[in-house]
Amino acid sequence: MTIQLRAHHLLCLLTYVGKGYTPAFTANYDVIAGRLSQGEAIVLVDGPDDICAALLGEKRPHCHEDSVGIRDRKALDDLETLLARPVRVGLVFEMDPPTLKQMRQAFAKGEVRQACSRCEWSTFCTAVAAGGFEQTRVQRH
């Protein structure tokens, strides 16, 4: 099985510590974090993904807003540069320990943060990164 993720959620998962928009969102994200930690593959999708699923029952979920698509494009660009390989919708890959470490190091340095511009969680995520990503829920050793 694969976990469907939109591109900017690849960055969000780097700092996820169990906080989210709603209890249902957090519970869903915890399940996804566990699956990622076990090495389940990821497929990049365009639009709402497995993380968004917990918000789709809302009247106006933000996952359909144009600004979220812009974040995805910025994340794709940053990750493609960082990983020195094509990173596009449809890509299937595993978040192996070296890649997770590389992405977290770049995130902490601000090298893959274009998608974080104007995100309400940006300051929080910066603090998690500054703390060495302690207590993050996605772990690969």
Side-chain angles (χ1 to χ4, degrees):
M1 237 176 128
T2 57
I3 299 166
Q4 295 184 21
L5 289 180
R6 58 187 322 150
H8 84 270
H9 281 159
L10 285 173
L11 302 177
C12 299
L13 69 85
L14 300 175
T15 60
Y16 176 68
V17 295
K19 298 185 186 289
Y21 297 104
T22 66
F25 178 89
T26 303
N28 180 55
Y29 211 142
D30 282 341
V31 170
I32 292 167
R35 291 169 58 193
L36 288 168
S37 295
Q38 294 299 314
E40 192 165 331
I42 296 166
V43 61
L44 291 178
V45 297
D46 186 20
D49 61 7
D50 290 341
I51 292 173
C52 298
L55 299 175
L56 294 178
E58 296 180 4
K59 282 186 177 181
R60 296 181 58 158
H62 71 270
C63 52
H64 291 290
E65 293 177 8
D66 290 341
S67 62
V68 180
I70 292 168
R71 278 179 209 219
D72 288 336
R73 287 188 291 283
K74 289 179 178 182
L76 286 170
D77 289 345
D78 279 350
L79 291 170
E80 187 166 278
T81 299
L82 174 69
L83 300 174
R85 63 181 167 141
V87 180
R88 295 288 174 236
V89 169
L91 175 69
V92 178
F93 69 101
E94 182 184 325
M95 180 67 70
D96 60 29
T99 301
L100 180 60
K101 181 178 180 182
Q102 179 185 17
M103 288 175 61
R104 283 190 169 142
Q105 288 174 339
F107 188 92
K109 293 177 186 175
E111 296 171 358
V112 291
R113 300 288 305 265
Q114 285 188 81
C116 305
S117 175
R118 298 187 182 146
C119 174
E120 65 187 276
W121 294 92
S122 185
T123 301
F124 178 81
C125 294
T126 298
V128 171
F133 300 93
E134 287 188 29
Q135 301 179 14
T136 52
R137 301 277 171 102
V138 177
Q139 294 293 325
R140 297 296 315 270
H141 302 285

